[in-house]
Amino acid sequence: MARDNKRGRLLDGKLVAKALKESIKKEVAEMVDRGEEGPHLAAVIVGNDPASETYVASKEKAARGVGMVSSVYRYPEDTTEKELMDVIDFLNRDPEVTGFIVQLPLPKHINEDKIIERIKPSKDVDGFNPVNVGKMAIGQPGFVSATPAGIMEILRYYKIDTEGKNCVVLGRSNIVGSPMSILMSKKSNPGNATVTLCHSKTENLDEITRQADILITAIGSPQFVKADMVKEGAVVIDVGIHRIEDKSSKKGYKLVGDVDFDAVKEKASYITPVPGGVGPMTIASLLNNTLKAYKSEYYG
Ligand code: GUN
């Protein structure tokens, strides 16, 4: 395990994301210099969920920041499933659009699975389509969803030794927990770990998390992981992001993760902060997927 004597060295996602975005920006600039259009990332948003608006605005800004074309397709809350399918078909066919995402969650009357399945795998830069999920599961090249891809990039950047280690993943979502557990179990670097996936029905959770050399938390519960659940010297990756009340802050709230950061950092060898850990990597990985889509790295 790459460790030093200091406790709680930060895994600085902002720094890793900056490095990745700079390399993407350079490549896009070279494409544009050659007279090419360069990659175009589109986002579809249905309804007016404020969190989704914020995420999509960040993705748009980041895409433009690396010189990509970015467009956002906005539709009202009462858009029908059929209308949304038609939008997807249009984007699937549009040769100007390199890749696109449909921001989740969608309004309740729309079946998310059906929508995700409709996205052409070669344009599915979120890596949510079952074809891309399946490719990842069997170790074939394809789009890996952005948060797990970003976490792998952080582990690679900091040369965290994962081979043969106990990796415990908390949460089994399709977007993070499940793909993360698969990636960490693969014969790869990072990877090659012995993986345990825990969820809401897991018994003796604390005993399991205390075995973790690498603990990845994606459970959506603020500051759930306490210091007594963490092994001395563990590497802790916190995917959660939550607003909790903080009267001492001007905004009246602060952002925290799934981990009780201040206490856990005293035990961990490495830890991601919230904000500034996994979050920035998610967007950088989405841009990286879009660049790969443009270069047709996976789908000819
Ligand atoms: N909602 C929350 N995270 C994501 C994401 O990574 N992609 C999309 N499309 N929707 C999300």
Side-chain angles (χ1 to χ4, degrees), residues 21-233:
K21 284 195 283 188
E22 268 165 18
S23 109
I24 295 169
K25 188 174 179 176
K26 188 162 166 275
E27 228 180 298
V28 173
E30 285 164 6
M31 290 162 173
V32 173
D33 283 349
R34 289 198 297 268
E36 298 176 28
E37 288 292 323
H40 176 166
L41 172 64
V44 179
I45 181 164
V46 184
N48 18 10
D49 175 47
S52 292
E53 286 286 350
T54 309
Y55 285 136
V56 168
S58 309
K59 289 170 189 177
E60 194 182 11
K61 185 166 168 233
R64 296 211 168 126
V66 297
M68 291 184 185
V69 179
S70 166
S71 53
V72 179
Y73 291 76
R74 283 197 171 74
Y75 298 93
E77 182 81 21
D78 61 359
T79 302
T80 65
E81 194 173 278
K82 167 77 175 67
E83 284 165 338
L84 187 55
M85 289 286 200
D86 290 344
V87 172
I88 309 251
D89 290 345
F90 170 78
L91 292 171
N92 280 340
R93 278 195 303 266
D94 186 347
E96 309 262 300
V97 171
T98 312
F100 65 98
I101 64 154
V102 178
Q103 187 64 31
L104 305 178
L106 288 169
K108 297 244 173 324
H109 63 277
I110 299 179
N111 182 328
E112 280 184 2
D113 289 345
K114 267 167 103 177
I115 296 298
I116 288 168
E117 277 179 41
R118 191 82 166 207
I119 301 172
K120 196 155 106 179
S122 61
K123 290 196 175 191
D124 170 38
V125 287
D126 251 338
F128 291 173
N129 182 287
V131 170
N132 281 314
V133 178
K135 281 173 176 279
M136 183 220 30
I138 59 174
Q140 286 184 4
F143 295 113
V144 173
S145 78
T147 302
I151 293 171
M152 296 301 267
E153 196 61 38
I154 291 178
L155 295 171
R156 201 174 294 120
Y157 185 94
Y158 283 94
K159 299 187 170 57
I160 304 291
D161 184 8
T162 61
E163 186 168 300
K165 306 296 178 201
N166 279 335
C167 173
V168 175
V169 179
L170 301 190
R172 58 180 158 188
S173 71
N174 289 343
I175 296 183
V176 186
S178 173
M180 206 57 237
S181 69
I182 295 169
L183 291 170
M184 289 300 282
S185 71
K186 288 282 159 204
K187 199 169 183 177
S188 59
N189 182 23
N192 259 334
T194 304
V195 180
T196 308
L197 179 65
C198 300
H199 46 75
S200 53
K201 300 285 181 242
T202 298
E203 291 180 359
N204 306 322
L205 183 69
D206 301 22
E207 268 170 43
I208 299 170
T209 57
R210 276 194 291 272
Q211 306 284 319
D213 300 306
I214 300 147
L215 180 61
I216 303 173
T217 67
I219 41 173
S221 181
Q223 299 174 315
F224 176 87
V225 175
K226 306 291 182 201
D228 64 0
M229 296 169 69
V230 177
K231 179 174 166 176
E232 196 66 47

